[in-house]
Amino acid sequence: MYAVKQLPEKIAGLKYRPSIEPGRSDDVDFYGEFYRPVPREFSVEDQRWLLHHLVQVPQARCIVEIGVQRNSLPDSSTGILIQHKPAHATYIGIDVEDKSHLDDPARRVFTVKADSSDRQAVFALMDRLGLPEIDFLFIDGWHSVSQCVRDWRYTDRLSAGGVVMLHDTNVHPGPVTLFDAIDEKRFEKVKYCTEGPDWGIAAITPLRPPEWR
Ligand SMILES: C[S@@+](CC[C@H](N)C(=O)[O-])C[C@H]1O[C@@H](n2cnc3c(N)ncnc32)[C@H](O)[C@@H]1O
């Protein structure tokens, strides 16, 4: 689908830095020619796989979502994460748009209005909340190659038993190329919802938790 160059830059957890330039831009979220009609942006099956992996980290203390609630809460990933997170876990949603209607500190729900490139803003909030690590990272913001690689760098703070999930792994350039670049010697990686009218979702889990870095 994309002609991918494998740049040698070292990024923890990746075999290479992907680039689809010069043929295409590393900053574009979506190339329309790959469009197949999708009835629902975050499908019921996507929600099912998100929940499947979320419940596998009952010890989770910190859940970070990049790209927050664009559709109604019951139709979104955000609804699943907030509704089904362990009660003791903190949800932090990052979006360039204001999603503060979701803020509910008593339920440990926080949003940050920022570009997800601004990891320091998010890490500062985590530090203020006494959360050194991310246990569940869901990447669904700007789906360009460059941005998804930057978002992957949140795994600098991924806990040993943590999980990363990516949305839009069927056609969007960032998730497609990032998924392929993830080092299978360090992570188990699996794509779901690859057929049919669905944007696709993937789960990435460290293979040998204490040593994966
Ligand atoms: C596909 S929607 C997220 C959908 C959400 N996960 C859901 O299921 O409802 C993508 C979101 O990412 C946000 N976004 C786009 N670029 C971003 C960036 N650079 N940093 C943070 N958020 C971004 C958009 O404002 C939008 O709300």
Side-chain angles (χ1 to χ4, degrees), residues 29 41-42 47 65-73 75-79 81 94-97 99 112 114-118 138-143 147 150-151 167-168:
D29 173 276
E41 191 170 31
F42 202 77
Q47 287 189 314
E65 178 174 48
I66 299 171
V68 177
Q69 193 203 353
R70 188 151 67 180
N71 301 293
S72 76
L73 213 46
D75 289 345
S76 68
S77 53
T78 308
L81 295 174
I94 308 151
D95 204 291
V96 280
E97 292 177 8
K99 306 285 177 171
V112 179
D115 189 303
S116 59
S117 311
D118 189 0
F138 185 58
I139 300 177
D140 190 18
W142 186 253
H143 305 90
Q147 191 71 37
R150 282 193 288 271
D151 290 349
H167 192 230
D168 300 295

Side-chain angles (χ1 to χ4, degrees), residues 27-176:
D27 295 318
V28 168
D29 173 276
F30 179 61
Y31 285 97
E33 76 263 36
F34 298 128
Y35 179 73
R36 291 174 298 169
V38 172
R40 185 172 140 159
E41 191 170 31
F42 202 77
S43 70
V44 173
E45 276 295 283
D46 292 342
Q47 287 189 314
R48 196 170 74 73
W49 285 115
L50 182 66
L51 182 57
H52 172 86
H53 285 279
L54 181 65
V55 299
Q56 287 178 10
V57 277
Q59 78 287 2
R61 292 187 63 218
C62 181
I63 294 163
V64 171
E65 178 174 48
I66 299 171
V68 177
Q69 193 203 353
R70 188 151 67 180
N71 301 293
S72 76
L73 213 46
D75 289 345
S76 68
S77 53
T78 308
I80 295 287
L81 295 174
I82 291 178
Q83 190 189 341
H84 296 279
K85 75 176 183 61
H88 62 266
T90 299
Y91 166 93
I92 299 175
I94 308 151
D95 204 291
V96 280
E97 292 177 8
D98 182 6
K99 306 285 177 171
S100 59
H101 62 279
L102 294 169
D103 288 351
D104 187 352
R107 289 197 57 221
R108 298 179 175 276
V109 174
F110 299 86
T111 60
V112 179
K113 182 176 181 290
D115 189 303
S116 59
S117 311
D118 189 0
R119 286 192 301 283
Q120 290 323 312
V122 180
F123 291 164
L125 174 61
M126 287 171 58
D127 291 342
R128 276 203 304 283
L129 296 170
L131 300 166
E133 296 186 312
I134 298 169
D135 302 294
F136 195 94
L137 173 64
F138 185 58
I139 300 177
D140 190 18
W142 186 253
H143 305 90
S144 73
V145 175
S146 300
Q147 191 71 37
C148 284
V149 169
R150 282 193 288 271
D151 290 349
W152 172 259
R153 287 180 157 157
Y154 279 82
T155 61
D156 288 353
R157 288 235 187 165
L158 189 68
S159 63
V163 178
V164 183
M165 291 193 78
L166 313 176
H167 192 230
D168 300 295
T169 42
N170 285 345
V171 289
H172 289 68
V176 166

